[in-house]
Amino acid sequence: MNEFRNRFIRFMYGRYGMDQLSKFTSILCMTLLVLTLFMHNGVVYTLAILLLIYTYFRCFSRNISRRSKENQRYLNFYYKCQGKFNYIKARIKDSKTHRIFKCPNCSQKIRVPKGKGKISIKCPKCRIDFIKRT
Ligand SMILES: [Zn+2]
């Protein structure tokens, strides 16, 4: 067991190993493989195998700078998606208590509390008043 471990460590020396992108591709690969158990789709199966090869290729690659660049690009994309998702989540939560109106004059977005009936809204940008039901 120890001998195998040492051999593996020697094999992995100077190789890239796992990162966030390879974790993502391996999870995606597993998901696709589970999917093929329920629907026998050749395309999904081929995609899963290609993902598996890609994951191992990156893991055993000796081109470390290139692999970490790929990972960085993936992380940038991931954080952007996460940011958008959080924004939408906050908007949905907020829409229960507030409404967004657009100023008819300058299109400035104005956030007002809900359930106040007909109110006069003053645009903070162009100082125009308009009536809206909240
Ligand atoms: Zn305005």
Side-chain angles (χ1 to χ4, degrees), residues 33-130:
L33 283 177
V34 170
L35 262 179
T36 55
L37 293 176
F38 301 102
M39 44 179 258
H40 300 279
N41 188 320
V43 178
V44 176
Y45 184 73
T46 310
L47 212 67
I49 298 301
L50 285 177
L51 267 172
L52 191 70
I53 294 167
Y54 181 64
T55 306
Y56 276 105
F57 159 74
R58 289 192 72 253
C59 188
F60 298 143
S61 169
R62 290 181 192 276
N63 194 344
I64 288 168
S65 67
R66 193 148 174 200
R67 298 290 88 78
S68 50
K69 255 184 213 156
E70 287 166 358
N71 191 50
Q72 198 50 56
R73 254 187 316 210
Y74 161 72
L75 284 178
N76 288 345
F77 176 72
Y78 176 80
Y79 292 134
K80 227 162 94 183
C81 287
Q82 200 184 39
K84 263 186 202 155
F85 180 74
N86 284 342
Y87 175 77
I88 290 167
K89 221 167 74 178
R91 276 259 64 84
I92 290 170
K93 207 179 158 198
D94 190 62
S95 72
K96 284 174 193 146
T97 54
H98 289 81
R99 273 193 77 173
I100 306 283
F101 289 111
K102 243 188 195 172
C103 169
N105 188 40
C106 69
S107 314
Q108 164 76 33
K109 280 182 182 166
I110 302 153
R111 182 172 165 271
V112 291
K114 251 184 176 176
K116 302 275 182 217
K118 258 189 182 175
I119 55 165
S120 167
I121 301 163
K122 194 183 206 80
C123 172
K125 205 171 159 192
C126 66
R127 303 267 154 218
I128 217 170
D129 284 303
F130 58 99

